[in-house]
Amino acid sequence: DAKTTQPTSMDCAEGRAANLPCNHSTISGNEYVYWYRQIHSQGPQYIIHGLKNNETNEMASLIITEDRKSSTLILPHATLRDTAVYYCIVRVATSGTYKYIFGTGTRLKVLA
Amino acid sequence: EAGVVQSPRYKIIEKKQPVAFWCNPISGHNTLYWYRQNLGQGPELLIRYENEEAVDDSQLPKDRFSAERLKGVDSTLKIQPAELGDSAVYLCASSSSGVSAEAFFGQGTRLTVV
């Protein structure tokens, strides 16, 4: 079962910041939080990941709370092309490797 | 650098027929994943390989599904015989073994069983 819960859907105005929340209250100390997005008819696309510290790359920022029980993905200036389903994933270590267990994600709609 | 390559992109078959999907992971990636995604749902892990060894196949319906990863590179996923409920998108992903590595996904194969 997925270790994360996300809102089913969100809207965001074009040009504004999109803040996507995720709860992962059962996360373990060495488990990373990953974010992916999936645009219709494409495979999931990696966005960003983090363990404890906040992270930023060219696509987004990831804010992880100090207790690591929740995080927020921030798209600083949302465009219409950011309309997609966003998945927050806790990567689980097992059998010497890792697995990514997806939930149902947040469907983000960016409005013109 | 090429990403994860899957083929075919689309496949339509009649029920009870066999079908196979092929995946070429990113070069050097030890871990390979097969996922199934039903309409409106998140991807569901079917099987996970570390090199040529299947380290997690607990979610693979073994009565009709099989997979292999010969030489620890390319992989094939087979369904025989296919059922109507197998209609879905089948996704392949790969990652390196680094502790902070990310998985990269292919475009998927959309299977329709009629």
Side-chain angles (χ1 to χ4, degrees), chain A residues 32 34 36 38 41-44 46 49 87 91 94-95 97-100 102-104, chain B residues 9 33 35 37 41-43 45 48 50 55-56 91 99-103 105-107:
Chain A
Y32 281 74
Y34 282 73
Y36 284 79
Q38 190 172 27
S41 296
Q42 297 184 19
Y46 166 78
H49 71 281
Y87 295 99
R91 189 190 67 173
T94 177
S95 303
T97 65
Y98 304 100
K99 62 181 180 181
Y100 303 77
F102 287 75
T104 52
Chain B
R9 279 285 277 135
Y33 307 82
Y35 285 82
Q37 187 172 25
Q41 303 292 317
L45 181 66
R48 178 165 55 103
E50 181 66 20
V55 296
D56 183 358
L91 294 160
V99 67
S100 184
E102 60 267 34
F105 284 78
Q107 294 282 61

Side-chain angles (χ1 to χ4, degrees), chain B residues 69-105:
Chain B
R69 190 183 184 198
L70 298 176
K71 300 182 181 179
V73 182
D74 294 1
S75 178
T76 55
L77 178 68
K78 299 178 182 177
I79 308 175
Q80 182 172 10
E83 298 178 351
L84 295 177
D86 296 331
S87 295
V89 175
Y90 291 83
L91 294 160
C92 179
S94 70
S95 70
S96 66
S97 54
V99 67
S100 184
E102 60 267 34
F104 295 91
F105 284 78

Side-chain angles (χ1 to χ4, degrees), chain B residues 29-78:
Chain B
H29 280 190
N30 301 326
T31 309
L32 184 145
Y33 307 82
W34 281 103
Y35 285 82
R36 175 172 60 189
Q37 187 172 25
N38 293 311
L39 190 63
Q41 303 292 317
E44 171 194 20
L45 181 66
L46 292 175
I47 189 168
R48 178 165 55 103
Y49 281 93
E50 181 66 20
N51 297 309
E52 65 275 7
E53 181 184 0
V55 296
D56 183 358
D57 63 357
S58 58
Q59 300 302 311
L60 189 73
K62 298 181 184 64
D63 57 337
R64 297 182 300 107
F65 286 65
S66 64
E68 60 182 8
R69 190 183 184 198
L70 298 176
K71 300 182 181 179
V73 182
D74 294 1
S75 178
T76 55
L77 178 68
K78 299 178 182 177

